Amino acid sequence: PARDPLAPPEPLSSAFAAAASNPEAPADSDPDSSWGVFDPVAGRIVMQTHPPPPTSSSDREEEEEEEEEVVEVKPKARPSGGKREPRWADVATARRAAGKGGKAPRVSYVCSNCGDGFSQWWGTCRGCQAVGTLTKFFPGADSADADADAEGSHHAGRSWIRQKSKEMVPKKLREVTKGFDQAGWRIPLPGTFGNEISRVLGGGVVPGSLVLVGGDPGVGKSTLMLQLASIVSEGSEDHGSSPVVYVSGEESIEQIANRADRMSIKSKDLYLYSSTDIEDILDKIQPLSPKALVVDSIQTVYLSAFAGSAGNQVQVKECTSALLSFAKMTNIPVFLIGHVTKTGDIAGPRVLEHIVDVVLYMEGERCLSHRLLRSAKNRFGSTDELGVFEMSEHGLQAVLNPSEMFLTEHDSDSEILAGLAVAVVLDGSRTFAIEVQALSVPGSLGQGKVVGTKSKRVEMIISVLMKQAGLKLQDNVIYLNVVSGFELSETAGDLAIAASICSR
């Protein structure tokens, strides 16, 4: 009959008691003898023909020591003569949060669309409500070559260049500004081309700044940055030449060299490198100690410690944050090229523009040779300045008289120029003569197209003309255009808009 497992165990037999009292007895001395062993499943002692393996206290201690030795991770050998020299790549390394030794890393599920992480798999991302975008991520899977104390983790947060806490102490303002030369602080950009960029930046390149340059594909962002890198590397008479590294994740170094040869760039201290790994980039440029770093583009680089492919929101944000910390710690300015979306915003999370110090937008029509460089954010200068360039076969050239670009050619013999008006507006520290073109055709009011200014503003001006001037514009469609892609935002252009409409 089956025995109740909750009943107390049966008493040991005399033969078993004798065998237990003499553990050193040979196993094959009596073939009919049996040994009792406790079965935790059945909850009672069962009899077997083979004796249990002897385990003494010393054997158990040796087994525990062997298990501890297996769990223990020995640190990598460091070169003799002191501590390891800190690498610039440490700025981009994400460290795993401290935990119990030997504990396996927890698997997380990361959304490839928005970058949110979850501890378990869900069919729908709870952050962006996307379906089928959660992928399994193993912390530290791509960081086998990193140090044992620098294994990657998606939720570990960022880690910056290692600093000694005793050296980082608050300082008085007068101690920081003592011997500080404000005039020679910025990196100068000589020449007409460099002066046009310096005007937008606020007087030159600020050491340790992070500058983001955005624009439509093919507008000339790479050309602008390659020429800027050449100017910074050549330096000036007061400041000698210094190495500048141009890193591209989209083109090979031969393709970049071909563009530089077409633009007649012969800088001897301009270095080219093609890579998409931030840690690899910082490792390779560390021996050069460059004066500036250009990354083309931020959507092509990645950090192996974070999940997702290059270009997603998590990678773009973390790579930008790592480069920002690198710029602040090394005092090396970093220029980033960023793609824009269909709406004209820089691709990636909106927080990207809050991380960087300066945001520049390069504008221009593909059918026209002129390019405009304006600042949307500048922590070191004004955002009202405008840089005007002309694209040629030798690269971008600064336009000395921008007003000629914004005015079209007219027939001097014509007595009446219908639909045209010229406004003189102030943009930053310069004045521009802007031409406004208007066209009125029969149709329903409100179906027109406005280019170069706000449509609501034009509708208000049309309403004023209908009410105060008595113009019957309700049966007409109004088309308005500002020449050469200039963005007319000053109220001084309202009179030119009204005059061009009235002349039609």
Side-chain angles (χ1 to χ4, degrees), residues 293-494:
L293 172 65
V294 179
V295 179
D296 183 12
S297 64
I298 188 60
Q299 280 81 16
T300 60
V301 295
Y302 69 93
L303 280 171
S304 59
F306 293 91
S309 59
N312 67 358
Q313 295 187 3
V314 175
Q315 288 288 354
V316 170
K317 179 182 176 182
E318 297 299 334
C319 291
T320 305
S321 300
L323 291 174
L324 174 66
S325 180
F326 162 76
K328 300 305 178 184
M329 297 301 177
T330 60
N331 217 28
I332 296 176
V334 179
F335 294 88
L336 305 178
I337 296 179
H339 301 301
V340 297
T341 59
K342 295 180 180 179
T343 59
D345 299 327
I346 296 178
R350 192 65 181 179
V351 72
L352 181 63
E353 300 185 13
H354 298 280
I355 296 176
V356 301
D357 298 318
V358 181
V359 179
L360 303 180
Y361 279 94
M362 196 170 185
E363 306 169 355
E365 300 291 338
R366 288 191 176 184
C367 57
L368 301 176
S369 60
H370 296 93
R371 302 290 185 267
L372 304 178
L373 184 66
R374 63 175 70 251
S375 175
K377 173 188 176 181
N378 192 354
R379 290 176 177 168
F380 314 112
S382 174
T383 57
D384 297 329
E385 295 292 344
L386 178 68
V388 183
F389 303 91
E390 182 178 4
M391 180 67 75
S392 64
E393 60 181 0
H394 299 292
L396 292 170
Q397 306 293 332
V399 178
L400 300 179
N401 189 7
S403 297
E404 295 180 354
M405 185 190 74
F406 300 121
L407 297 177
T408 59
E409 297 181 359
H410 307 294
D411 188 2
S412 58
D413 297 335
S414 177
E415 297 179 358
I416 300 176
L417 298 176
L420 300 178
V422 178
V424 179
V425 298
L426 180 66
D427 196 316
S429 59
R430 294 186 295 182
T431 56
F432 299 95
I434 305 301
E435 181 177 316
V436 181
Q437 301 173 345
L439 176 64
S440 177
V441 296
S444 177
L445 184 64
Q447 297 180 354
K449 181 70 174 179
V450 178
V451 178
T453 187
K454 297 181 179 180
S455 59
K456 297 293 184 182
R457 181 176 168 189
V458 176
E459 293 177 1
M460 181 189 65
I461 296 175
I462 293 175
S463 301
V464 173
L465 293 176
M466 294 172 58
K467 178 67 176 179
Q468 303 297 333
L471 298 180
K472 298 180 179 181
L473 302 175
Q474 61 271 14
D475 298 332
N476 297 300
V477 179
I478 306 298
Y479 295 91
L480 192 74
N481 176 49
V482 180
V483 177
S484 297
F486 187 87
E487 189 70 24
L488 185 58
S489 58
E490 191 179 355
T491 55
D494 292 349

Side-chain angles (χ1 to χ4, degrees), residues 44 55 99 112 123 148 162 223 228 342 385 389 410 465 486 503:
R44 60 189 180 87
T55 55
S112 59
R162 302 174 181 175
T223 302
L228 177 63
K342 295 180 180 179
E385 295 292 344
F389 303 91
H410 307 294
L465 293 176
F486 187 87
S503 64

Side-chain angles (χ1 to χ4, degrees), residues 263-282:
M263 295 187 297
S264 301
I265 295 179
K266 305 294 183 182
S267 302
K268 62 179 181 179
D269 289 329
L270 179 58
Y271 292 83
L272 307 179
Y273 187 56
S274 179
S275 178
T276 56
D277 188 354
I278 290 293
E279 298 182 33
D280 175 66
I281 292 172
L282 298 182

Side-chain angles (χ1 to χ4, degrees), residues 2-11 38-39 41-45:
R3 182 182 179 277
D4 186 6
L6 300 180
E10 298 177 356
F38 179 76
D39 187 358
V41 178
R44 60 189 180 87
I45 296 178

Side-chain angles (χ1 to χ4, degrees), residues 9-87:
E10 298 177 356
L12 297 176
S13 61
S14 59
F16 172 71
S21 61
N22 188 14
E24 298 181 356
D28 54 353
S29 60
D30 187 4
D32 297 331
S33 62
S34 60
W35 287 264
V37 179
F38 179 76
D39 187 358
V41 178
R44 60 189 180 87
I45 296 178
V46 296
M47 307 305 293
Q48 64 180 16
T49 59
H50 301 285
T55 55
S56 60
S57 59
S58 59
D59 295 337
R60 288 193 297 267
E61 292 178 357
E62 291 178 359
E63 292 178 357
E64 293 177 356
E65 292 177 358
E66 290 178 358
E67 292 179 357
E68 293 178 357
E69 291 178 0
V70 173
V71 174
E72 182 181 1
V73 178
K74 296 182 179 180
K76 289 186 177 181
R78 303 191 180 275
S80 59
K83 299 182 179 179
R84 178 178 65 89
E85 182 182 357
R87 299 182 302 124

